[in-house]
């Protein structure tokens, strides 16, 4: 009798789950990850996009009137550092349905992966595991005990093997040339960088690099890196450097402008004052955004905006990544992603390209073949927006609904 009762309960629960994740959005503008489609219908069944078209037969499932709204794929943040499951929840509340972590400290990794795999109220999660840096190198200053590698190329394979064994989805190496020149922070040498990238590629893993200087970029490209998770910080307009990156088919995760903006007394206050942002902020994020900052002599966002323009004009493959991390002053999960998109537009990037950088381009590079587009057969990670972000990127803040795998997200913090 008890088994029968449990089975009935399970079947009812599964049926409710299926109903909750099935719906149709009618007469909606769609940005499908590449193109804009006007006045069409999108059917979602059991958390998967089932069909798109203006003449689709309307099934007997909940209807949503999308007139005047835009439906876009869930955003993918290609550079974050996550410590708490609540940060994955906050990312999702702002439409970031997938977080690609670029350095998860070991004590948090398993908890974050388990939460993303078992829950629909948090963003999905992928990670490099802990980044690869030498003793005393950048990344060791945050108080966590992490494995490091000396400049010993013959140890690179074993080190990478261990990262793969622990579940790394891709690899991130740290080359910190600016810190090395400024204060002697240890950095990886050329032979070790070459050996690490080769070891990663032998495992058929994508390898990205934290870089800071012109020399860092040249070394990473020479060693065969797939992507850079920063732009240079030792100069501004650099068409020569941007052309070198483009010629070697290396992608760049843009987002340095968001980090610099966090240091300045402007952007964080704008987020706190924006009524499309502030109601959904966690207490942690409000505290972080209100944190007073002492002006750093000579700090300016202009060289970073100029560097971003160089990359844009060279047609480098750009991805969106906010570098959200409690160690980055006033750059928070979720909200700062939208500030970053605004800064991209101020640098001259067209809104449609910014949306591609935030959806399909990230999915393509990281081989996330089930998301990043609105296309039959892909999971229904979706954002419904009251406006048209293909013409005004700030409309991404006008969120009406968010779905992760077809389940509507509760946006209450």
């Amino acid at each position: 009798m008890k088994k029968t009762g449990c089975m009935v309960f399970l079947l009812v629960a599964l049926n409710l789950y299926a109903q909750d994740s099935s719906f149709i959005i009618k007469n909606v503008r769609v940005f499908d990850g590449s193109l804009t489609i006007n006045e069409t219908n999108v059917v979602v069944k059991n958390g998967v996009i089932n069909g798109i078209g203006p003449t689709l037969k309307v099934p007997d499932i909940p209807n949503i009137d999308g007139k005047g709204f835009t439906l876009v794929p869930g955003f993918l943040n290609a550079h974050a550092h996550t410590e708490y499951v609540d940060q994955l929840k906050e990312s999702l509340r702002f439409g970031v349905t997938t977080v690609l972590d670029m350095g998860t400290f070991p004590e948090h990794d398993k908890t974050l992966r388990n939460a993303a795999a078992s829950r629909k109220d948090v963003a999905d999660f992928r990670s490099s595991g802990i980044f690869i840096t030498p003793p005393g190198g950048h990344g060791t200053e945050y108080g966590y005990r992490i494995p490091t590698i000396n400049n010993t190329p013959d140890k690179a394979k074993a080190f990478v093997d261990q990262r793969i064994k622990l579940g790394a989805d891709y690899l991130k190496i740290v080359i910190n040339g600016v810190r090395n020149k400024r204060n002697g922070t240890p950095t990886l040498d050329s032979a070790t960088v070459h050996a690490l990238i080769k070891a990663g590629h032998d495992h058929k893993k994508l390898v990205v690099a934290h870089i800071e200087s012109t020399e860092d970029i040249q070394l990473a490209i020479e060693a065969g890196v797939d992507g850079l998770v920063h732009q240079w910080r030792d100069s501004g307009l650099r068409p020569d450097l941007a052309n070198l990156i483009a010629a070697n088919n290396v992608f760049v995760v843009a987002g340095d402008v968001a980090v610099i903006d966090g240091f300045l007394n402007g952007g964080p206050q704008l987020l706190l004052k924006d009524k499309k942002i502030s109601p959904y902020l966690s207490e942690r994020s409000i505290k972080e955004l209100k944190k007073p900052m002492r002006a750093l002599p000579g700090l300016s966002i202009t060289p970073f905006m100029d560097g971003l323009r160089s990359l844009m004009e060279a047609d480098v493959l750009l991805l969106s990544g906010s570098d959200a991390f409690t160690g980055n002053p006033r750059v928070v999960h979720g909200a700062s992603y939208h500030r970053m998109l605004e800064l991209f537009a101020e640098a001259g990037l067209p809104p449609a390209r910014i949306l591609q950088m935030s959806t399909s381009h990230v999915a393509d590079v990281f081989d996330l073949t089930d998301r990043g587009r609105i296309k039959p057969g892909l999971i229904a990670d979706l954002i419904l927006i009251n406006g048209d972000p293909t013409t005004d990127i700030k409309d991404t803040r006008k969120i009406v609904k968010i779905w992760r795998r077809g389940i509507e997200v509760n946006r209450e913090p």
Side-chain angles (χ1 to χ4, degrees):
M1 187 69 179
K2 288 182 180 178
K3 287 184 179 178
T4 303
C6 288
M7 184 60 70
V8 169
F9 176 80
L10 179 60
L11 290 172
V12 169
L14 288 172
N15 186 55
L16 286 173
Y17 180 88
Q19 283 298 110
D20 286 345
S21 60
S22 298
F23 52 90
I24 180 170
I25 307 173
K26 299 170 65 178
N27 306 313
V28 69
R29 181 190 303 107
V30 169
F31 176 78
D32 69 359
S34 299
L35 304 171
T36 302
I37 308 165
N38 290 308
E39 293 281 322
T40 193
N41 303 324
V42 177
V43 174
V44 172
K45 285 189 176 180
N46 302 329
V48 175
I49 299 165
N50 183 259
I52 305 169
T55 59
L56 286 177
K57 184 178 178 181
V58 179
D60 186 22
I61 53 177
N63 278 226
I64 298 167
D65 185 3
K67 187 78 172 176
F69 297 163
T70 304
L71 190 69
V72 303
F75 296 132
L76 292 83
N77 189 348
H79 188 178
H81 298 278
T82 317
E83 296 171 274
Y84 310 109
V85 173
D86 280 353
Q87 290 171 326
L88 294 181
K89 290 185 74 171
E90 189 153 14
S91 291
L92 187 58
R93 285 202 302 276
F94 286 95
V96 177
T97 54
T98 302
V99 171
L100 300 178
D101 208 277
M102 288 295 168
T104 312
F105 292 107
E107 64 192 69
H108 303 300
D109 193 285
K110 187 175 180 180
T111 300
L112 293 165
R113 289 182 184 275
N114 287 344
S118 62
R119 295 167 55 171
K120 299 296 186 294
D121 64 335
V122 302
D124 202 1
F125 181 79
R126 301 288 189 279
S127 177
S128 64
I130 195 58
F131 31 68
I132 303 175
T133 194
H138 174 50
T140 63
E141 68 267 40
Y142 297 112
Y144 291 92
R145 292 185 65 184
I146 63 172
T148 56
I149 182 170
N150 289 304
N151 281 315
T152 47
D154 58 317
K155 304 289 187 183
K157 181 182 181 304
F159 194 90
V160 168
D161 288 348
Q162 183 66 10
R163 302 274 67 71
I164 302 302
K165 183 179 178 181
L166 292 173
D169 298 293
Y170 40 87
L171 297 170
K172 177 188 172 186
I173 61 175
V174 176
I175 317 172
N176 46 260
V178 168
R179 286 178 172 86
N180 180 259
K181 288 180 180 177
R182 187 174 60 206
N183 54 26
T185 301
T187 189
L188 294 171
D189 66 18
S190 176
T192 306
V193 169
H194 277 76
L196 287 166
I197 292 176
K198 181 182 184 305
H201 287 166
D202 286 346
H203 281 281
K204 301 191 184 307
K205 293 292 184 181
L206 202 70
V207 183
V208 302
H210 165 105
I211 53 86
E212 299 175 351
S213 68
T214 301
E215 291 79 10
D216 293 347
I217 293 173
Q218 291 168 337
L219 167 57
I221 289 176
E222 180 187 287
V225 80
D226 299 297
L228 309 173
V229 292
H230 288 288
Q231 62 191 67
W232 55 89
R233 60 183 69 176
D234 55 355
S235 50
L237 285 169
R238 289 293 302 273
D240 58 326
L241 207 49
N243 287 329
L244 174 69
I245 294 168
N248 285 275
N249 297 314
V250 171
F251 65 85
V252 174
V253 181
D256 296 77
V257 289
V259 177
I260 299 305
D261 185 66
F263 279 98
L264 303 174
N265 293 311
Q269 285 74 19
L270 291 174
L271 290 175
L272 286 165
K273 292 175 183 177
D274 190 335
K275 298 302 181 186
K276 298 179 289 296
I277 295 288
S278 58
Y280 309 106
L281 291 168
S282 67
E283 289 185 13
R284 179 185 287 114
S285 289
I286 291 170
K287 183 179 179 180
E288 184 67 24
L289 290 169
K290 285 183 174 179
K291 187 182 292 183
M293 288 294 297
R294 184 177 63 189
L296 297 176
L299 182 66
S300 169
I301 200 170
T302 301
F304 295 88
M305 296 288 266
D306 286 344
L308 185 55
R309 292 186 185 101
S310 293
L311 293 166
M312 174 185 69
E313 289 165 7
D315 204 25
V316 170
L317 178 58
L318 296 173
L319 312 181
S320 298
S322 66
D323 203 2
F325 174 41
T326 48
N328 274 337
R330 304 192 299 191
V331 183
V332 298
H333 290 256
S336 293
Y337 192 89
H338 291 270
R339 175 63 178 159
M340 173 188 66
L341 301 184
E342 179 184 5
L343 292 167
F344 289 166
E346 290 179 11
L349 283 158
R353 184 172 177 183
I354 296 171
L355 291 174
Q356 286 180 309
M357 290 166 56
S358 308
T359 57
S360 57
H361 285 178
V362 181
D364 289 347
V365 165
F366 286 89
D367 199 29
L368 299 172
T369 57
D370 61 350
R371 68 196 69 190
R373 289 181 168 80
I374 299 177
K375 178 181 174 183
L378 303 193
I379 58 175
D381 285 359
L382 303 168
I383 314 169
L384 188 63
I385 293 167
N386 183 7
D388 183 3
T390 67
T391 59
D392 184 355
I393 201 63
K394 284 188 73 173
D395 279 358
T396 60
R397 305 176 186 206
K398 300 177 181 178
I399 295 172
V400 178
K401 291 179 183 290
I402 302 165
W403 295 271
R404 183 177 174 222
R405 293 183 177 266
I407 301 294
E408 187 175 346
V409 175
N410 178 4
R411 297 197 73 205
E412 292 299 317

